[in-house]
Amino acid sequence: MFEQIADKLKDAKKIVFVTGAGISQESGIPTFRGTDGLWRKYDPMKLATIDAFYDDPKLVWEWYEDRRKNILAAKPNPGHQAIAELEKYKDVVVLTQNIDGLHQRAGSTKVLELHGSIIRIKCTVCDFKGDFKSSFDELPPKCKCGNILRPDVVWFGESLPQDVWQEAIIQANSCDMMIIAGTSLVVSPANTLPIYARQNNAILIEVNPEETVMSQDMQLSLKSTSAIALPELISIFQK
Ligand code: APR
């Protein structure tokens, strides 16, 4: 699959990955917009917005608790593992829209979580933040300050954590190769990262079984799943 750009892969100094729900699909975590996608079953405007949360915090918490249980039971797949393995050969940074923590659990050490993490929680009022891997006795859970806690994720209509976003732009602007895997590239501003990379003359590679809005802009658009294509990418360095 990667033969035609094997030399460019080997010459690349820094490889930045932009990943989305598709890379976790083979770990059993549904995507958002695919045929089995979450947004086909649920209305995102009722579950993944700040207004929805304040309208019915218990419902939103029940949905996230359900997702979190699945995510904690899921395992990184060969796609996540290949990206982690690539760190043996290259400077690798992962800019992920996923909140499942599977890149880190696969061993990737430089991961920017653009949309937060389902495993982290924060207070809606004070500056408390913490990891949470077990369940709560009551939903919505309360902070020590008495206010309700929320998942530390970015909802529609909210801005990304500015420090994370600024760092992501720096990474996209300073790579010589960007591999976009498992994302429909329909949600901004994450979908602008390939544009930053292209402005820096980076080689753009897409790994997605479906066509996306940016497939035509890629030097290589692989119609494959990430669990198949990314281990093939690593095999180039193992020859
Ligand atoms: N390997 C690679 N790509 C896959 C696979 C797979 N096994 N299975 C599905 N895909 C592709 C789909 O073709 C689709 O293009 O993954 C993409 C998933 O797209 P979305 O469901 O839109 O997910 P994503 O791009 O991550 O959504 C971005 O939208 O709902 C918000 O905050 C949420 O972070 C999410 C953001």
Side-chain angles (χ1 to χ4, degrees):
M1 282 187 204
F2 291 91
E3 293 70 28
Q4 63 195 66
I5 52 134
D7 294 342
K8 293 197 171 87
L9 262 171
K10 287 182 186 153
D11 294 344
K13 301 275 174 302
K14 175 193 271 190
I15 301 180
V16 167
F17 285 82
V18 173
T19 64
I23 198 168
S24 296
Q25 195 257 355
E26 284 152 299
S27 295
I29 298 173
T31 64
F32 293 96
R33 297 168 183 85
T35 41
D36 67 334
L38 285 171
W39 297 151
R40 291 201 189 278
K41 280 182 258 171
Y42 302 99
D43 175 357
M45 293 307 131
K46 290 204 175 65
L47 290 166
T49 66
I50 188 76
D51 295 342
F53 179 72
Y54 282 111
D55 188 41
D56 191 343
K58 189 169 185 312
L59 172 71
V60 173
W61 260 109
E62 282 165 352
W63 189 60
Y64 274 90
E65 278 300 273
D66 196 30
R67 287 179 65 194
R68 188 161 57 159
K69 283 192 186 72
N70 289 338
I71 283 168
L72 288 176
K75 300 256 178 303
N77 66 56
H80 299 105
Q81 287 154 356
I83 294 175
E85 178 87 6
L86 188 60
E87 290 190 12
K88 287 183 189 157
Y89 311 99
K90 293 289 166 189
D91 177 11
V92 178
V93 178
V94 181
L95 311 176
T96 187
Q97 300 170 89
N98 298 341
I99 60 174
D100 57 33
L102 288 179
H103 283 299
Q104 295 93 319
R105 283 166 55 194
S108 288
T109 59
K110 286 185 249 177
V111 180
L112 291 176
E113 291 176 310
L114 305 173
H115 294 168
S117 165
I118 202 166
I119 299 158
R120 273 200 312 275
I121 50 172
K122 65 182 180 182
C123 181
T124 50
V125 175
C126 78
D127 56 7
F128 166 76
K129 269 197 180 193
D131 275 0
F132 223 93
K133 295 183 180 134
S134 57
S135 293
F136 296 100
D137 300 335
E138 56 148 355
L139 293 177
K142 292 275 181 0
C143 178
K144 287 196 180 69
C145 74
N147 293 289
I148 56 172
L149 293 165
R150 58 167 282 182
D152 187 13
V153 297
V154 178
W155 280 319
F156 289 109
E158 291 188 309
S159 51
L160 275 58
Q162 276 315 296
D163 55 340
V164 174
W165 177 240
Q166 290 310 320
E167 179 59 24
I169 293 174
I170 292 169
Q171 296 302 332
N173 268 327
S174 60
C175 66
D176 40 9
M177 181 173 283
M178 179 176 274
I179 301 178
I180 298 108
T183 176
S184 58
L185 289 170
V186 298
V187 170
S188 72
N191 62 357
T192 62
L193 290 167
I195 298 165
Y196 284 102
R198 190 172 56 194
Q199 281 167 352
N200 188 50
N201 298 318
I203 295 166
L204 299 183
I205 300 171
E206 183 177 59
V207 175
N208 194 322
E210 317 257 328
E211 191 80 2
T212 70
V213 289
M214 283 198 74
S215 293
Q216 304 307 324
D217 303 302
M218 307 288 166
Q219 271 79 5
L220 178 62
S221 178
L222 289 168
K223 296 291 175 282
S224 167
T225 68
S226 40
I228 291 172
L230 295 178
E232 290 224 7
L233 179 140
I234 292 300
S235 66
I236 287 173
F237 295 95
Q238 291 162 339
K239 281 180 184 131

